[in-house]
């Protein structure tokens, strides 16, 4: 199993009110300059929050939600400090309750 770290917030807050696109674009540029593999993903309506052990987190987050998920805990800590009004946590996957860590519940159009 792998430990995944995340920040979670409402889509409206994270995608419309915060300059998230700029933050992620800068991070991608930095990774490319260092020849580092991308270790973070933006997931709309993340399925992992449906796990029973994350029910409290889901209950506190306005829906629809969006998560930035990473295997890099330091990046998520930095995002939490940068974005402030987001939930932060971690989970292990694949597991019985979270078989696909990057799965989305959002319907594909």
């Amino acid at each position: 199993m792998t430990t995944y770290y995340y920040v979670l917030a409402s889509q409206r807050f994270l995608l419309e009110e915060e300059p998230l696109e700029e933050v992620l674009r800068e991070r991608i540029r930095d990774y490319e300059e260092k020849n580092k593999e991308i270790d973070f993903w933006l997931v709309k309506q993340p399925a992992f929050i449906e796990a029973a052990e994350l029910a409290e987190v889901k209950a506190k987050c306005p829906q629809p939600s969006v998560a930035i998920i990473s295997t890099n805990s330091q990046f998520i800590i930095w995002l939490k400090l940068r974005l402030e009004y987001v939930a932060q946590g971690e989970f292990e996957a694949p597991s019985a309750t979270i078989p696909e860590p990057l799965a989305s519940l959002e319907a594909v159009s």
Side-chain angles (χ1 to χ4, degrees):
M1 271 199 280
T2 302
T3 301
Y4 292 88
Y5 306 89
Y6 66 86
V7 291
L8 177 76
S10 74
Q11 285 186 26
R12 188 177 69 74
F13 173 72
L14 213 49
L15 301 180
E16 296 172 22
E17 295 178 19
E18 285 294 317
L20 184 64
E21 184 179 345
E22 177 185 326
V23 169
L24 295 179
R25 192 175 312 134
E26 174 60 29
R27 189 68 171 198
I28 290 168
R29 186 190 60 74
D30 180 60
Y31 275 40
E32 287 172 349
E33 286 179 1
K34 295 176 180 173
N35 291 321
K36 186 175 177 184
E37 188 173 328
I38 299 294
D39 59 3
F40 60 91
W41 305 270
L42 184 136
V43 179
K44 290 182 179 179
Q45 287 296 97
F48 75 84
I49 65 169
E50 298 299 321
E53 62 267 30
L54 295 169
E56 192 174 314
V57 173
K58 181 182 178 186
K60 292 179 181 178
C61 183
Q63 298 298 313
S65 64
V66 65
I68 300 171
I69 304 168
S70 180
T71 54
N72 180 338
S73 64
Q74 294 302 312
F75 174 56
I76 294 301
I77 291 168
W78 178 82
L79 272 178
K80 169 65 174 152
L81 294 171
R82 170 73 174 75
L83 300 172
E84 196 173 341
Y85 299 109
V86 295
Q88 176 187 1
E90 64 184 71
F91 61 89
E92 301 251 326
S95 68
T97 56
I98 306 173
E100 296 288 333
L102 305 178
S104 171
L105 299 175
E106 185 171 80
V108 178
S109 20

